[in-house]
């Protein structure tokens, strides 16, 4: 079992847990469709965290055209490029499933203000810099792959 634990520890992201339940976040998620890759942003409210270690997941809920949409993201997944904190929330529960039943203004979570919020934003800045570098690297890879694909198409058309 120690071998499994050491492998899992190596695969964990360093600054992955820079947000908490009740925060509004933007999740930058890598989508692979066939040969193309793109980064999709999912913005919503963090409802809960589940599991521990490398298997830890978090659920994000948003309202889209009047319909509630929830998505579960693995916290340490390489496809989750970064989780950007938009607005820290003030909640006193570990899981805020009650928000599912609320409509309109009742579904809003109070914003956390003061020194706690400032400390949370300061801690996130370092994580954002590392994530931005990784995102820029991914975009450069995507651009290079698209350029080679278009060059191959042009070569085939000339034949």
């Amino acid at each position: 079992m120690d071998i499994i634990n050491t492998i899992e520890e190596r695969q964990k992201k360093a600054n992955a847990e820079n947000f908490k339940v009740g925060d509004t976040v933007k999740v930058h998620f890598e989508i692979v469709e066939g040969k193309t890759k793109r980064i999709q942003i999912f913005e919503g409210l963090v409802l809960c965290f589940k599991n521990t270690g490398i298997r830890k997941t978090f659920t994000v809920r948003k309202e889209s055209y009047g319909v509630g949409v929830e998505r579960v993201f693995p916290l340490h997944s390489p496809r989750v490029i970064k989780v950007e904190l938009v607005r820290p929330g003030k909640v006193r529960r570990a899981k805020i499933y009650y928000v599912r039943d609320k409509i309109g203004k009742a579904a809003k979570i109070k914003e956390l203000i003061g020194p706690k919020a400032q400390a949370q934003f300061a801690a996130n800045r370092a994580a954002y810099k590392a994530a931005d570098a990784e995102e820029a690297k991914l975009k450069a890879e995507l651009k290079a792959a698209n350029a080679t694909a278009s060059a191959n198409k042009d070569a085939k058309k000339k034949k």
Side-chain angles (χ1 to χ4, degrees), residues 8 37 39 45 47 52 68 71 74 83 91 116 127 145 148 150 153:
E8 286 181 358
K37 292 181 183 179
I39 296 172
L45 181 69
L47 291 184
T52 58
R71 187 154 181 196
V83 181
V91 294
K116 283 185 179 179
T148 57
S150 63
K153 284 182 183 179

Side-chain angles (χ1 to χ4, degrees), residues 5-19:
N5 290 338
T6 55
I7 292 171
E8 286 181 358
E9 287 298 320
R10 271 191 261 139
Q11 292 178 350
K12 280 187 179 180
K13 289 184 180 178
N15 295 325
E17 294 187 48
N18 54 1
F19 58 98

